[in-house]
Amino acid sequence: MINNMATQTFVGTGPERSYMVTAMQPITWQRSDSHSDVACNILTQYSPEPEPDQNTATVTARQPVTLSKLQLKTGDLDPRLFSRLRHLQNLDLSDNLLDKLPANLSLPDLRVLNCSNNQLEDVTVLKQFPLLEELNYENNVYLTTNDDYKVMFLLQNLRLLNGKDVTKLANHVRVVNSRELTSKVTAHWERHFRSQLPEKYSAEHVMFIRKKFLKSAQTHVIYGPSSLGEFTRWRVKMIAEELLASMQGQEENTHPETQERMEDDDEETTENPREVGEDDIAQAKVAEETHRNGEQPPKGQSHRRSSQLTEEQKSQDQDKRVLTITPVKNLEDKEVISLEPFHFLQCHSKGNSREDFKTQLWSCVFEPPLDSGTRKDPVVSTSRTMATCGGESVCLIDCETGIVLKKYKVPAEEFFTVAWTTLTMVTNDGRKKKHNILAAAGRRGIVKLIHVSADFCYGEIKAHKKPIATACFSPTCETHLFTASYDKRIGLWDIGVPDCDYNFKASQLMVLEVASIPLRIALVPSCPDQFLLAGCEEGCFAWDIRLDKPQKSRPFEVAFQFPNDEGEETASHRVDGLAFLNKDVVVSKSSKTGSIYLWSWSQSFEAQGKSCQRTRPALILAELEWSTTDLPYLTLSTCPAAEYVFCGDEKGSVWMYNLSKHSSAWRASKGKCSENRIAPTQILEWPELRANGELLTEVLINNVVTDPTFTYLIALTGVNIAAVWKKT
């Protein structure tokens, strides 16, 4: 036993090793061998007598126990020995091989725990340390932000998590988050399940309803960003069980049945940065104010590391808002979709200035859900997280809450495009795990590769010497990235897959030669490995991109002609809007003022195959009425699932076209264009938005994007505002 007050040195021996312990100092054991066997002799040298006096207990509590860098595995932590350290307050288990902690370590007074650099997969076992105030588990690759939220809920006294003060956020998780989820779970029960439970019921009936309710609640009760989906389902299951227990007259969390494991086949999408704190609460509060009062949220916060990324100054919750909004009613029509102005975000400001209404926003892409192949319910499988770019920053935003989850800045850059892909990466111990990677590029011609869940810009590709206008990933090969540049080239790159140390190798596979600057590119959905279509400053072109052909540098296969204002066919015109409505129908603009064309890819290209000519007319299916403005680069987009086309204009309006009724007619027309132009189904007008009390006018809508299920509509403007509408 260690003398309670003296500073002494003791030497203990064990099988094939020896340890040195110094009392009244941070106690560290150094192993004399390289074996990763049990730590029992270490703890035996330290453990006090079964009934120490008060002084001994005080000394024991003050002395940190360090079991670091001993290659310890979970089985090496003997709960019987730890039970003799019940007054211990500081334990260091860092730099070992622990995949979990035993559930019965019996350390009720533990206040500080360091288990960084291990292989932990679960944090719920930490609830056995109710007084824990400081916790560090950085560099456990299987732990995510969902685990951060779990420990903040489970540990009521937690102040520091991975070196970050989480006091305010933890209170938000325990109070606001729990209140909202409890309300939603209760409403779900009342709406869908209460009527299924009769006054007299058997145990079997209760078990059946219970399982059905738990599964349904985890699927349909949603709150907060999609990146916290695992935490939300975990809390929903807990709350649902508490609700059932209370209705059965039982105490909370005392169900006789063994709790079934949450049905969770997915791997999580993007997490928030580890530095979670008051910024997140401030953003959440402002998001609620935006929904109620129409006020403008503060700019997005930035977060940690990477020399390529610049840290933003925190936006304060008490800052005076500079934007106010008055909603404008839409057209009254049976086909009109009800869209509510939800959030108006000024999060790309230069120098973090609230007075910046000049930064142009260009691109928005919704994050692909990592579990999209395993869940059929669109409510669960559709991501609410979008990446936007403009100025020197890229932002990740949760559309439901309006919270800016992350912000990446590169000084002196101007980002024009962002694109997502999902890579299967291999961890240190050989496990495979999917992660979403974001590619961002712009004026400098450099592609930044960002591992979003790690909050780390791990590399860059110097793709072009001139700006990159747009980029997209192949839907069939996760590492293939197309970049279209002002150097009149479209490059195909294999970005590779980074290893556990983020080493990667990128290579150029192909160069497509363009006669003018490419503005928009789209892979043909019916054959994405064979053909690419591009809208350029001087026409619309298609290339053969099959990799089994020998040429690394390739000219275009065909240039498409469209009618101009005089009704003549021309191949020389700016095409600054290009997208596919379905596998065959292409939507493009702007060869003719005030119109958007829909045309058949297959019929147009097959017609080209019957002739040796490289220029062929596009077989027009329909013409959409649009603004008569001659301003360029107001691009369009489509929502194939809903058969909608969207395009903004120079007055801040969004033109929306529901084309579901025209599909059958196009198939029967065989390329014959309707004489009547199709009017917009509705025009979503820009609300009365005021900046510092003055009406914000002359709003250009550079881009309009919806999520795949058409739940959210995003309008990117030329006045540094990303507007979010939600379908109601």
Side-chain angles (χ1 to χ4, degrees):
M1 185 181 84
I2 298 177
N3 192 331
N4 61 342
M5 293 299 292
T7 302
Q8 304 181 43
T9 300
F10 300 83
V11 176
T13 60
E16 303 180 342
R17 60 190 181 278
S18 63
Y19 309 94
M20 181 169 291
V21 182
T22 302
M24 297 305 296
Q25 301 292 329
I27 302 174
T28 305
W29 286 270
Q30 298 293 333
R31 302 173 66 125
S32 63
D33 68 344
S34 60
H35 298 86
S36 58
D37 48 11
V38 297
C40 63
N41 281 13
I42 304 176
L43 298 174
T44 300
Q45 301 301 321
Y46 175 74
S47 299
E49 296 293 340
E51 297 295 336
D53 59 30
Q54 185 63 38
N55 290 336
T56 302
T58 301
V59 173
T60 302
R62 292 176 180 173
Q63 295 171 335
V65 171
T66 301
L67 301 177
S68 180
K69 300 179 181 179
L70 298 178
Q71 298 184 359
L72 297 178
K73 296 182 178 180
T74 300
D76 298 329
L77 305 181
D78 189 344
R80 294 174 299 175
L81 291 173
F82 276 96
S83 66
R84 302 176 64 184
L85 303 175
R86 58 186 177 275
H87 296 291
L88 181 67
Q89 293 186 6
N90 193 326
L91 177 62
D92 185 355
L93 296 172
S94 62
D95 299 287
N96 283 300
L97 303 174
L98 304 173
D99 57 4
K100 62 181 179 179
L101 295 178
N104 53 344
L105 288 182
S106 302
L107 300 174
D109 286 344
L110 193 66
R111 310 297 174 92
V112 180
L113 176 62
N114 184 357
C115 44
S116 60
N117 295 299
N118 277 280
Q119 300 172 13
L120 299 179
E121 300 180 6
D122 178 59
V123 296
T124 57
V125 71
L126 296 173
K127 66 183 178 182
Q128 66 180 301
F129 310 128
L131 300 183
L132 203 62
E133 299 176 357
E134 300 179 21
L135 173 63
N136 189 337
Y137 52 60
E138 285 190 310
N139 298 321
N140 283 265
V141 296
Y142 304 119
L143 299 184
T144 70
T145 304
N146 289 274
D147 298 294
D148 295 350
Y149 277 65
K150 288 180 182 179
V151 296
M152 283 187 283
F153 173 78
L154 293 171
L155 303 174
Q156 298 294 308
N157 294 321
L158 190 66
R159 292 186 300 103
L160 296 178
L161 178 59
N162 298 328
K164 177 75 174 183
D165 188 345
V166 296
T167 305
K168 291 185 178 180
L169 180 59
N171 288 335
H172 179 81
V173 171
R174 297 167 194 146
V175 179
V176 179
N177 185 285
S178 294
R179 182 182 65 233
E180 294 295 328
L181 286 179
T182 300
S183 175
K184 289 175 178 288
V185 170
T186 303
H188 190 69
W189 168 265
E190 296 291 339
R191 186 178 300 115
H192 300 290
F193 288 90
R194 176 173 287 279
S195 61
Q196 300 183 33
L197 192 64
E199 293 183 3
K200 295 183 179 181
Y201 47 83
S202 64
E204 292 78 9
H205 194 123
V206 172
M207 177 66 73
F208 172 77
I209 295 297
R210 174 183 178 274
K211 289 184 177 181
K212 187 177 179 181
F213 173 54
L214 291 178
K215 184 175 181 180
S216 177
Q218 291 177 68
T219 300
H220 296 287
V221 174
I222 295 176
Y223 177 74
S226 58
S227 57
L228 296 177
E230 181 194 339
F231 167 75
T232 299
R233 291 191 290 274
W234 177 77
R235 281 291 291 132
V236 164
K237 182 172 185 282
M238 186 183 301
I239 293 169
E241 289 179 327
E242 293 170 354
L243 176 64
L244 292 173
S246 66
M247 288 188 298
Q248 295 177 45
Q250 302 176 5
E251 293 184 1
E252 295 181 352
N253 298 323
T254 57
H255 282 286
E257 304 90 4
T258 301
Q259 287 191 350
E260 57 188 74
R261 292 186 60 86
M262 180 169 57
E263 297 180 7
D264 185 15
D265 299 323
D266 67 324
E267 297 181 44
E268 287 303 308
T269 56
T270 288
E271 300 96 12
N272 294 26
R274 291 290 179 183
E275 287 77 352
V276 286
E278 60 184 286
D279 292 344
D280 303 80
I281 302 173
Q283 284 279 16
K285 289 179 179 177
V286 173
E288 293 174 0
E289 292 172 2
T290 303
H291 180 69
R292 291 193 308 269
N293 307 325
E295 293 185 346
Q296 165 67 15
K299 300 174 294 302
Q301 280 69 30
S302 73
H303 301 280
R304 64 175 188 190
R305 72 172 183 262
S306 175
S307 59
Q308 295 94 336
L309 307 182
T310 302
E311 184 176 340
E312 285 287 300
Q313 296 297 321
K314 294 182 179 180
S315 294
Q316 300 299 324
D317 184 34
Q318 63 269 26
D319 282 352
K320 182 180 179 181
R321 311 286 181 255
V322 297
L323 296 183
T324 57
I325 172 178
T326 302
V328 174
K329 292 185 178 180
N330 215 311
L331 305 176
E332 294 184 2
D333 189 279
K334 293 182 180 180
E335 294 184 352
V336 167
I337 291 178
S338 177
L339 289 161
E340 175 189 3
F342 214 43
H343 305 293
F344 290 81
L345 307 173
Q346 186 190 10
C347 52
H348 290 268
S349 300
K350 185 176 181 180
N352 214 28
S353 170
R354 290 183 178 275
E355 305 302 320
D356 179 6
F357 294 100
K358 296 182 179 179
T359 295
Q360 301 256 10
L361 308 186
W362 296 111
S363 180
C364 171
V365 185
F366 276 82
E367 180 179 12
L370 291 173
D371 60 347
S372 58
T374 61
R375 294 183 182 271
K376 296 181 180 180
D377 190 334
V379 175
V380 175
S381 62
T382 298
S383 172
R384 299 179 339 201
T385 304
M386 62 177 178
T388 60
C389 72
E392 61 186 12
S393 60
V394 174
C395 293
L396 263 67
I397 302 169
D398 180 80
C399 291
E400 181 67 22
T401 63
I403 296 176
V404 180
L405 304 174
K406 301 181 183 181
K407 187 173 184 178
Y408 305 91
K409 287 189 64 178
V410 179
E413 176 65 282
E414 183 179 6
F415 287 106
F416 295 147
T417 184
V418 283
W420 289 101
T421 190
T422 303
L423 299 183
T424 303
M425 301 169 63
V426 180
T427 60
N428 279 320
D429 59 353
R431 298 193 190 188
K432 293 182 178 180
K433 190 171 183 180
K434 291 183 178 181
H435 291 279
N436 282 334
I437 302 298
L438 184 66
R443 188 170 297 279
R444 297 169 64 190
I446 296 173
V447 178
K448 295 286 186 179
L449 299 174
I450 303 170
H451 184 186
V452 178
S453 62
D455 193 25
F456 186 51
C457 180
Y458 68 85
E460 61 181 38
I461 301 172
K462 296 181 180 179
H464 300 272
K465 294 182 179 180
K466 290 189 176 183
I468 296 174
T470 187
C472 71
F473 279 97
S474 166
T476 57
C477 186
E478 60 186 14
T479 62
H480 286 186
L481 174 67
F482 290 88
T483 57
S485 171
Y486 280 63
D487 63 9
K488 300 180 183 180
R489 290 180 175 84
I490 299 173
L492 171 58
W493 304 84
D494 189 332
I495 66 169
V497 178
D499 61 21
C500 54
D501 295 319
Y502 290 103
N503 299 309
F504 75 103
K505 184 178 180 181
S507 59
Q508 189 177 65
L509 303 178
M510 188 186 307
V511 176
L512 307 180
E513 300 171 358
V514 191
S516 60
I517 297 173
L519 303 174
R520 300 286 177 263
I521 57 176
L523 292 162
V524 179
S526 59
C527 46
D529 291 329
Q530 299 181 37
F531 296 102
L532 178 138
L533 194 62
C536 306
E537 283 284 2
E538 298 180 6
C540 185
F541 305 89
W543 286 264
D544 188 330
I545 57 171
R546 285 175 285 190
L547 291 173
D548 57 0
K549 291 194 171 185
Q551 308 99 310
K552 187 174 182 179
S553 179
R554 302 180 186 180
F556 66 86
E557 289 284 312
V558 59
F560 295 102
Q561 295 175 314
F562 297 87
N564 59 18
D565 287 327
E566 287 74 34
E568 300 174 350
E569 295 288 336
T570 177
S572 180
H573 58 274
R574 178 191 292 120
V575 178
D576 57 3
L578 183 71
F580 276 85
L581 181 63
N582 52 42
K583 288 188 175 182
D584 183 62
V585 177
V586 188
V587 188
S588 65
K589 78 171 189 65
S590 58
S591 66
K592 182 179 178 181
T593 302
S595 69
I596 297 171
Y597 282 118
L598 284 83
W599 50 285
S600 168
W601 156 261
S602 60
Q603 295 181 63
S604 302
F605 193 77
E606 288 169 4
Q608 179 268 341
K610 300 176 182 178
S611 170
C612 60
Q613 296 181 3
R614 298 174 68 193
T615 301
R616 297 292 296 172
L619 294 178
I620 307 298
L621 301 174
E623 185 178 352
L624 307 181
E625 292 181 1
W626 184 65
S627 170
T628 56
T629 180
D630 57 359
L631 287 174
Y633 313 130
L634 307 182
T635 193
L636 57 80
S637 69
T638 61
C639 180
E643 296 188 89
Y644 259 83
V645 174
F646 309 92
C647 193
D649 67 13
E650 78 285 6
K651 297 179 181 179
S653 299
V654 177
W655 298 57
M656 303 168 56
Y657 308 84
N658 183 352
L659 303 176
S660 57
K661 296 182 178 180
H662 301 275
S663 299
S664 58
W666 292 338
R667 287 190 292 268
S669 68
K670 297 183 179 180
K672 184 178 180 181
C673 181
S674 171
E675 295 182 359
N676 297 323
R677 297 204 303 171
I678 300 175
T681 307
Q682 68 188 99
I683 298 178
L684 190 65
E685 297 181 358
W686 186 255
E688 294 179 1
L689 199 64
R690 296 182 179 274
N692 295 325
E694 297 183 3
L695 192 64
L696 196 63
T697 58
E698 299 181 0
V699 177
L700 298 179
I701 303 294
N702 289 328
N703 202 349
V704 181
V705 179
T706 67
D707 67 296
T709 60
F710 194 7
T711 302
Y712 305 98
L713 182 146
I714 317 301
L716 303 181
T717 71
V719 292
N720 190 27
I721 294 174
V724 182
W725 278 267
K726 183 178 181 180
K727 187 163 64 174
T728 59

